[in-house]
Amino acid sequence: MEQLHLPAAQRAAGLVALPGSKSISNRVLLLAALADGVTEIDNLLESDDTAVMLDALRKLGIDWRRDGNRHVVTGGGGSFATKRADLFVGNAGTAVRPLTAALALADGEYRIDGVARMHERPIGDLVDTLRQLGARIDYRGNDGYPPLTIGARAANRPASVSVRGDVSSQFLTALLLALPNALAAAGETGLAIVVEGELISKPYVEITLDLMQRFGVAVQRDGWQRFDVPAVRYRSPGRVLVEGDASSASYFLAAGAIGGGPVRVSGVGRASVQGDVRFADALLAMGAQCRIDADAIEVSAPSDGRLRAIDLDCNLIPDAAMTLAVVALFAQGRTCLRNIGSWRVKETDRIAALATELRKFGAAVEEGEDWLAVTPPAALTPGVAVDTYDDHRVAMCFSLASLGNVPVTINDPRCVAKTFPDYFDHFAEIVR
Ligand SMILES: O=C(O)C1=C[C@@H](OP(=O)(O)O)[C@@H](O)[C@H](O)C1
Ligand SMILES: C=C(OP(=O)(O)O)C(=O)O
């Protein structure tokens, strides 16, 4: 097993230019593939999750090429040239769910699979909705989970469909992304999507709607309950600049709050479409000093040097909230992160993983079905080897523990390649 030994550190300060947002990158790639016209994409994230999307699109007959730092995608004009393909999407939720919807509403024969953990990440609610639309989808392993076989869609024209929103927002996102073109291609009229249950991770649906709009499709909606999707073909906006990744920003901003700062990240700011920029509000509530500029965020430690524990509903920031669990090691009192049930079905069971690893540092940890509470020890245990469960965020957030002036070992550090392959290089540049 590969290990990365992080030296004990006490200070963090510096500037980090963020890589592109994963959520925006994979949405823009699919939209560009579905659209009429050529899309030039700047600052696309280069990581495992985007590599599997690019690879899938190429297998589906979409022409794309790199031109320096730019990716140029020639849209398929609403259909995929390749009618039979076997796709492998690693552990990328932003690839498996939207691609399943797009392919299930197309007219070919496809197979889609991923890594072993993907076989435990739910997709049944999305498949149920696609079946309401006439999709032919079979489970090749366990019901409700990838791998899937997808056949050509049978004619079926309901005026509305329902989808569950309380397991993953990616099911709604997948339908929203795939439907406009599919409805237009089949000569159908618009369709209403009704959300059943309380929609989680809402800001990610905002990202979806914002990007659809940029590709010429406006969805009317009634709160978070009903979305009216028109039958319209996507049009390329020509050029798209991908914002920096707000979830990736969280590790550096937290380092600024723990290690003095200032730490400044560039590429996201006030105008960001990503919900995870609200991570800065959580640090503010813990006493940190934050400045949000148009295209950058800067964080320093509290003026008295003491971070305070918080009790926070984290449903709107599910990814960045993991970082708070490690910041809690440096805050006075008991930090409670609530409404995070979706953590259990992500890259790993993140509530269980964080509880286990935080305890190695001496923290008192309580966990419930959808919450986690952390009370720090008087002093962090030195020399902990953190297991990472093939979860990029577990690896990244525990790097922060080294700022407690303790050496930390990260087991299997390369799992960060899912969204941030050179994360540890950037981290080393800002800590000392
Ligand atoms: O749509 C997206 O880009 C994402 C939605 C969220 O998932 P859930 O909706 O499953 O919480 C988030 O955790 C994931 O990293 C990216
Ligand atoms: C949950 C995550 O990823 P995915 O897009 O695979 O759901 C994540 O990046 O934290």
Side-chain angles (χ1 to χ4, degrees), residues 285-361:
M286 296 179 93
Q289 307 178 72
C290 302
R291 203 174 103 185
I292 306 190
D293 294 331
D295 190 43
I297 306 177
E298 191 173 299
V299 172
S300 301
S303 47
D304 63 0
R306 295 166 169 211
L307 288 165
R308 296 186 294 270
I310 48 169
D311 189 316
L312 189 70
D313 183 325
C314 295
N315 202 269
L316 300 182
I317 55 165
D319 293 356
M322 288 176 74
T323 313
L324 293 174
V326 181
V327 177
L329 289 176
F330 299 90
Q332 291 186 325
R334 173 181 181 268
T335 290
C336 188
L337 308 178
R338 299 183 190 278
N339 207 358
I340 51 171
S342 70
W343 283 17
R344 297 219 182 255
V345 291
K346 295 201 169 170
E347 280 76 339
T348 184
D349 177 339
R350 288 174 162 175
I351 293 183
L354 285 185
T356 303
E357 301 310 309
L358 287 164
R359 285 185 186 120
K360 290 183 183 172
F361 287 91

Side-chain angles (χ1 to χ4, degrees), residues 211-276:
L211 293 172
M212 289 172 70
Q213 178 97 49
R214 286 203 239 170
F215 279 79
V217 174
V219 174
Q220 303 295 320
R221 68 181 170 124
D222 178 7
W224 297 103
Q225 226 64 66
R226 181 189 159 109
F227 296 79
D228 286 293
V229 185
V232 177
R233 279 169 69 144
Y234 288 115
R235 262 182 294 108
S236 170
R239 190 169 291 182
V240 178
L241 171 65
V242 177
E243 286 178 16
D245 194 298
S247 316
S248 298
S250 70
Y251 312 106
F252 305 115
L253 298 178
I258 299 165
V263 172
R264 188 174 174 85
V265 295
S266 65
V268 284
R270 208 180 307 119
S272 173
V273 67
Q274 298 167 76
D276 268 3

Side-chain angles (χ1 to χ4, degrees), residues 84-227:
R84 289 179 85 90
D86 224 326
L87 308 179
F88 180 82
V89 291
N91 196 6
T94 54
V96 74
R97 284 135 179 186
L99 281 170
T100 292
L103 296 175
L105 299 176
D107 55 356
E109 307 274 334
Y110 302 101
R111 287 153 66 97
I112 192 158
D113 197 1
V115 299
R117 174 63 179 169
M118 188 59 104
H119 300 172
E120 299 170 345
R121 297 191 64 189
I123 199 163
D125 296 333
L126 174 62
V127 168
D128 289 348
T129 304
L130 291 166
R131 285 176 173 162
Q132 294 173 42
L133 287 160
R136 295 197 172 107
I137 302 174
D138 292 315
Y139 297 111
R140 299 213 313 276
N142 292 329
D143 276 7
Y145 300 88
L148 307 174
T149 301
I150 299 170
R153 179 188 170 198
N156 192 22
R157 299 176 182 228
S160 75
V161 289
S162 57
V163 67
R164 271 184 61 181
D166 53 357
V167 173
S168 170
S169 70
Q170 291 177 353
F171 304 149
L172 175 59
T173 279
L175 292 164
L176 287 166
L177 291 173
L179 271 168
N181 262 28
L183 294 171
E188 297 174 26
T189 49
L191 180 95
I193 306 173
V194 177
V195 178
E196 280 175 17
E198 176 74 13
L199 180 66
I200 65 164
S201 305
K202 295 183 179 83
Y204 290 95
V205 173
E206 301 267 22
I207 299 178
T208 305
L209 296 173
D210 178 271
L211 293 172
M212 289 172 70
Q213 178 97 49
R214 286 203 239 170
F215 279 79
V217 174
V219 174
Q220 303 295 320
R221 68 181 170 124
D222 178 7
W224 297 103
Q225 226 64 66
R226 181 189 159 109
F227 296 79

